Amino acid sequence: MLDIHLIREETQRVRDAMQSRGVTVDLDSILQRDIERRRILVEVEGLKKQRNEVSRKFGRIKAEGGDVESMREDVRRIGERIAGLDAQLREVEKVLSELLLQVPNIPHASVPVGKDSSANQVVRSWGEMRDFPFDPLPHWKLGERLGLLDFPRAAKMSGTGFVIFKGPGARLERALINFMLDVHVREHGYEEVSPPFLTNAAAMTGTGQLPKMAEDMYRVVDEDLYLVPTAEVPLTNIYRDEVIAGELPIRLVAYTPCFRREAGAAGRETRGLIRVHQFDKVELVKFVEPEHSYEELESLVAEAEDILRRLGLPYRVVELCTGDLSFAAAKCYDIELWSPGHKGWLEVSSCSNFEDFQARRARIRFRRGGHAQLVHTLNGSGVALARLVVAILENYQQADGSVVIPDVLRAYMDGMERIEPVI
RNA sequence: GGAGGGGUGGCUGAGCGGACGAAAGCGCCGGUCUUGAAAACCGGAGUCCGGCAAACCCGGACCGCGGGUUCGAAUCCCGCCCCCUCCGCCA
């Protein structure tokens, strides 16, 4: 959420920012409600002041045994006007906050301006794309031959867009989760967290999933809970409505499954593991002092990259342009892995600085010089599974149909060095 | 799920219709003392919103959340949420 003062005082700047994102936001309507809100507020507060004064006098006179009946009716009438104005005020505030919740964050000055992903900029690449002496297979064929993935049976119980990992496939999944958690905890200074996988609407609103992304989430109607689309939600909401007592920065890492309806994605490039309704992810979240958030964004990306380097997977880092930036982000880098089977790039991480946008929504603050102020929040995938498995299977496939297991994972798989075809 | 108890400032915790934004302690900030620190002593400080260009100025709101009673609610009533204890159920 943007600061209403900013919208009020630097309207043109906000307007330009929205235009650079390619979104239309009714700022005039917001400004109008803001004026109306303050108009009512001034009036009702004046009346409350009157009421407070009279009530105090009332108590004093009554205590002294004086006549109080003549005042009673006057104060009651003031009370009625207050009630009417308060109702108006609530209505205006409700509309205003609904409008404000729909305004996306302002892109950082360094973000390239552009209208869609074609204007994103590759900032660096790492690793060599392997030159295959044979025609590399796509991951779903490898998964089938090696007996790692079972889509038909997953569809039987859960519908399309779900997968069963089995045998070494399930083992690989678990090995990757453990490997990534270990690196981030032992070497990058993160604290490990295992949060709830369902959260309420307030939490979803705090991080910005609601109201915009409602149709992309699974909802448990009876309990009014949502399945988390990313661990960003439970991790960031740990400090919702709090003034953080300890030292910043706070760095948290968690593994969670992620649930996404992906409504409207049918028919796109969705075969196999590329776009599934449930996938695993190791997520990194930071709470930092405002002046350090951009250095923390750079280290966040580096920490995610570190995972991919250790796995020996070629990747590139892409800086998103204004038009491709997600709702709450001020700046964002995607990390993409090369997929030889698809001959394309797969996004496995998205690292964003939200500045104080989420902190304002979720009221996450810290204390400085005795005063509470908003923190900056960041998060990034460190990294997302499913697609990572795609990249490993495809990049490490051999001419004989087997897949070599990356060195760093072998300790997590009882020393297994390769997965052999079963059919 | 049932019964009982409880939710007060950064924390602990008093207050249970009017002078309460709220005692006290801890913690925090500033000062005195000290070579420095600690201790001791003195002083200060809640959050949000609004008035305004701004304020150490003024006003309003905030004692889990929402509603009600009242001239007036942290205090009384109702609903909800959360925590604790016991019982039930259960991986």
Side-chain angles (χ1 to χ4, degrees), chain A residues 1-5 206 239-244 248 286-293 353-368 371-377:
Chain A
M1 185 159 67
L2 294 184
D3 188 351
I4 182 68
H5 299 95
Y239 293 106
R240 179 160 56 92
D241 285 318
E242 290 193 25
V243 177
I244 296 173
L248 296 180
K286 299 184 182 186
F287 302 85
V288 308
E289 295 183 308
E291 52 278 11
H292 296 134
S293 66
N353 184 0
F354 302 97
E355 300 187 357
D356 62 12
F357 189 87
Q358 291 180 328
R360 183 171 297 104
R361 285 180 162 232
R363 294 165 303 279
I364 304 170
R365 294 174 298 170
F366 71 109
R367 203 161 280 284
R368 171 182 283 168
H371 287 279
Q373 78 178 75
L374 296 170
V375 300
H376 279 195
T377 60

Side-chain angles (χ1 to χ4, degrees), chain A residues 139 148-149 151 163-181 255-258 273 276 278-282 307 311 382-393 405-406 409 412-413 416 419:
Chain A
H139 72 277
L148 308 178
L149 306 175
F151 289 99
V163 63
I164 298 167
F165 290 93
K166 51 182 187 174
R171 193 71 193 273
L172 177 62
E173 188 80 1
R174 183 158 59 90
L176 283 165
I177 292 165
N178 287 331
F179 161 66
M180 292 191 282
L181 285 172
Y255 150 74
T256 71
C258 301
L273 290 172
V276 281
Q278 177 190 321
F279 61 94
D280 292 311
K281 180 156 62 71
V282 169
I307 295 291
L311 288 168
V383 301
L385 280 282
R387 290 178 187 171
L388 179 58
V389 172
V390 170
I392 290 173
L393 294 181
I405 293 171
L409 295 180
Y412 292 90
M413 298 183 72
M416 188 187 286
I419 305 172

Side-chain angles (χ1 to χ4, degrees), chain A residues 180-193 253:
Chain A
M180 292 191 282
L181 285 172
D182 283 347
V183 170
H184 293 309
V185 169
R186 290 174 184 161
E187 300 181 40
H188 298 156
Y190 283 79
E191 180 177 14
E192 185 172 348
V193 172
V253 58

Side-chain angles (χ1 to χ4, degrees), chain A residues 324-363:
Chain A
D324 206 27
L325 218 47
S326 71
F327 183 77
K331 187 180 176 79
C332 178
Y333 295 102
D334 279 357
I335 305 176
E336 300 177 335
L337 286 176
W338 177 249
S339 158
H342 294 259
K343 307 218 173 355
W345 295 95
L346 300 175
E347 180 191 330
V348 289
S349 180
S350 194
C351 299
S352 307
N353 184 0
F354 302 97
E355 300 187 357
D356 62 12
F357 189 87
Q358 291 180 328
R360 183 171 297 104
R361 285 180 162 232
R363 294 165 303 279

Side-chain angles (χ1 to χ4, degrees), chain A residues 105-119:
Chain A
N105 204 354
I106 295 176
H108 188 256
S110 65
V111 175
V113 175
K115 78 177 199 320
D116 56 38
S117 58
S118 65

